[in-house]
Amino acid sequence: MVKKNTCVFISGKGTNLRNLILKSRDYNFPINIRLVITNNPSSMGINYAKINSIPFKIIKSNNRIFEHLIMNELNKYKIDLICLAGYMRIIPKKFFTLFRKKIINIHPSLLPKYKGLNTFSRVLHNKEKKTGCTVHFVNSKLDSGNKIIQKFFYIKPGDNETNLKYKTQKMEYLAFPEAIIRIFR
Ligand code: GRF
């Protein structure tokens, strides 16, 4: 199998990155992670790139030419797929015309509900019965591209933001790899 060259964009802990790195060791998993890009020099996720000898690049989004800096890196590693895994910056419209391949994102809610930030507090405030995560294609509107996969669970009495996040992330570690398999099937 010829694996797709993938770049993961992160800003924080990088636990989804860690999970994708583990999955990509499987011969049958359709991607290899060739590059990690972050806007945040203190992102803990950078350590997973270092430990696994994956090249990483810190590119701050206040840099006037940051789309071009990113494109240079993507071209250098012949990237076919971008996975946004907790990347806390909006992808500028211009970027979609520069990078014509697939870009996917993982979001901690059942889209189209609860786009944007603070999903868990809003879910609890609205007394939702269930929540979960969505993997979707990225377009120029926030958290709005076509869905690839969604996973949910029922909220229990006493659930709070911390354990909703924990349960959602456990689902993310299943959903992101499944979505990747689905798009390259
Ligand atoms: C995930 O929960 C994802 O849904 C959201 O950002 C979080 C990133 O977590 N977009 P991590 O950095 O992968 O641990």
Side-chain angles (χ1 to χ4, degrees):
M1 165 191 274
V2 180
K3 291 192 173 210
K4 304 287 180 188
N5 292 335
T6 298
C7 175
V8 182
F9 282 45
I10 57 168
S11 296
K13 282 194 174 168
T15 61
N16 278 283
L17 167 66
R18 178 187 60 195
N19 181 53
L20 290 178
I21 292 171
L22 287 175
K23 299 282 173 196
S24 68
R25 292 194 185 138
D26 179 343
Y27 176 79
N28 289 313
F29 194 64
I31 64 162
N32 262 337
I33 298 168
R34 296 280 182 222
L35 178 65
V36 172
I37 289 181
T38 184
N39 61 310
N40 175 12
S42 350
S43 165
M44 281 160 61
I46 293 172
N47 292 323
Y48 298 121
K50 285 185 185 162
I51 292 165
N52 291 284
S53 309
I54 297 170
F56 67 92
K57 206 78 196 168
I58 298 163
I59 303 179
K60 294 199 179 167
S61 51
N62 57 5
N63 190 319
R64 208 166 29 88
I65 55 160
F66 100 109
E67 294 104 332
H68 290 281
L69 296 176
I70 289 177
M71 273 314 294
N72 283 346
E73 295 300 318
L74 299 178
N75 289 335
K76 186 162 138 194
Y77 292 95
K78 298 187 170 48
I79 296 299
D80 302 303
L81 172 73
I82 293 176
C83 293
L84 304 181
Y87 184 62
M88 301 300 282
R89 286 288 172 274
I90 301 280
I91 301 288
K93 274 189 186 158
K94 198 166 130 197
F95 191 78
F96 295 95
T97 41
L98 292 173
F99 185 75
R100 298 189 154 274
K101 302 195 179 141
K102 292 179 171 64
I103 310 178
I104 63 175
N105 179 45
I106 186 142
H107 183 77
S109 80
L110 299 176
L111 291 174
K113 285 181 148 188
Y114 305 105
K115 297 173 182 176
L117 299 175
N118 306 319
T119 53
F120 307 116
S121 59
R122 289 186 286 146
V123 159
L124 288 171
H125 181 261
N126 290 343
K127 302 194 179 352
E128 292 286 355
K129 289 196 169 56
K130 56 186 184 174
T131 188
C133 66
T134 308
V135 184
H136 63 96
F137 288 106
V138 175
N139 62 19
S140 56
K141 290 192 192 140
L142 179 70
D143 299 328
S144 296
N146 287 343
K147 271 183 259 172
I148 304 163
I149 203 168
Q150 200 157 57
K151 285 191 184 286
F152 76 90
F153 59 92
Y154 289 99
I155 297 170
K156 294 198 175 128
D159 270 346
N160 55 32
E161 284 182 46
T162 309
N163 63 10
L164 283 192
K165 181 175 177 183
Y166 176 79
K167 291 181 195 180
T168 303
Q169 286 213 307
K170 271 179 80 175
M171 298 215 139
E172 291 182 350
Y173 305 147
L174 301 173
F176 220 169
E178 276 182 43
I180 291 168
I181 290 169
R182 198 172 279 191
I183 63 179
F184 290 118
R185 190 163 52 199

